[in-house]
Amino acid sequence: MNIMLFHSTFGLRPAVHQAADRLRSAGHEVWTPDLFEGRTFETVEEGMEHKERIGKEELLKRAVLAAAPYSERGLVYAGFSLGASIAQTLALGDDKARGLLLLHGTSDIAPGVTVDGLPVQLHVAEPDPFETDDWLSAWYLQMGRTGADVEVYRYAGAGHLYTDPELPDHDAEAAEATWRVALGFLDSL
């Protein structure tokens, strides 16, 4: 599979490279664009401030430009938190998308978007302050209306970015379970 993997508001940190290496060792080709142009952050707040300074439209533009050279190959869009929301937006707008792997995040869905059975897998903490139960229920129903084939995996007691071993949210057991299921998902595409 060809995978476009987007980073979180922490930036392109070692955990993103480790995830990409894990995917490559499973036989996938992976690109990890740096939407923050080299900037990384120690706190969510710092990353969110930087994201706001750049602006949503500019971030999406950078993501589209990063994916464009590879989209003809049929990409699986993937991302962590903020990167998941970007991946979702791109996948729902790319008729050649092969799949969507969301780690720790979702996004609004534009009205009238339709896809033809796009495989989608979401992995999220339970509870998650950024992905509340009400939000996830509404998101799931909306994704179903688009025509996506959605699977949701919840990890009780894990922190928001539980797959990043350098963050306090890290939960090794939940992270391993996520990667086991996610690799199976990618192999099925």
Side-chain angles (χ1 to χ4, degrees):
M1 249 341 92
N2 297 300
I3 302 169
M4 187 64 54
L5 180 63
F6 295 104
H7 61 75
S8 74
T9 57
F10 286 94
L12 189 56
R13 293 164 34 90
V16 179
H17 293 297
Q18 291 165 3
D21 289 344
R22 186 174 201 150
L23 294 167
R24 287 182 188 109
S25 69
H28 304 290
E29 191 161 0
V30 184
W31 296 274
T32 55
D34 187 349
L35 304 181
F36 285 179
E37 299 176 328
R39 300 280 311 270
T40 60
F41 301 95
E42 295 300 315
T43 69
V44 171
E45 293 78 19
E46 291 171 336
M48 294 295 275
E49 284 175 23
H50 186 68
K51 178 193 88 150
E52 294 302 320
R53 280 193 299 276
I54 294 172
K56 184 177 181 179
E57 294 305 314
E58 177 62 22
L59 279 176
L60 285 174
K61 178 182 167 189
R62 291 176 185 182
V64 167
L65 289 172
Y70 311 104
S71 64
E72 286 297 316
R73 301 180 187 194
L75 288 171
V76 172
Y77 292 92
F80 298 97
S81 193
L82 167 67
S85 70
I86 291 168
Q88 176 186 307
T89 300
L90 268 60
L92 293 180
D94 181 352
D95 61 357
K96 290 182 174 40
R98 300 281 306 273
L100 175 59
L101 176 60
L102 303 170
L103 303 163
H104 323 296
T106 60
S107 184
D108 294 327
I109 300 164
V113 169
T114 58
V115 294
D116 188 16
L118 179 71
V120 178
Q121 193 174 85
L122 168 64
H123 296 267
V124 65
E126 181 177 34
D128 187 313
F130 299 101
E131 301 289 326
T132 65
D133 290 345
D134 288 347
W135 167 263
L136 287 174
S137 294
W139 174 86
Y140 181 82
L141 292 171
Q142 287 179 304
M143 283 297 279
R145 285 188 205 112
T146 71
D149 180 14
V150 182
E151 299 176 335
V152 178
Y153 294 86
R154 305 288 305 268
Y155 299 87
H160 174 65
L161 268 170
Y162 63 83
T163 59
D164 188 327
E166 295 181 354
L167 295 177
D169 287 351
H170 182 61
D171 183 313
E173 189 176 323
E176 280 308 306
T178 295
W179 286 116
R180 189 171 46 255
V181 173
L183 290 169
F185 169 71
L186 294 169
D187 287 345
S188 75
L189 301 177

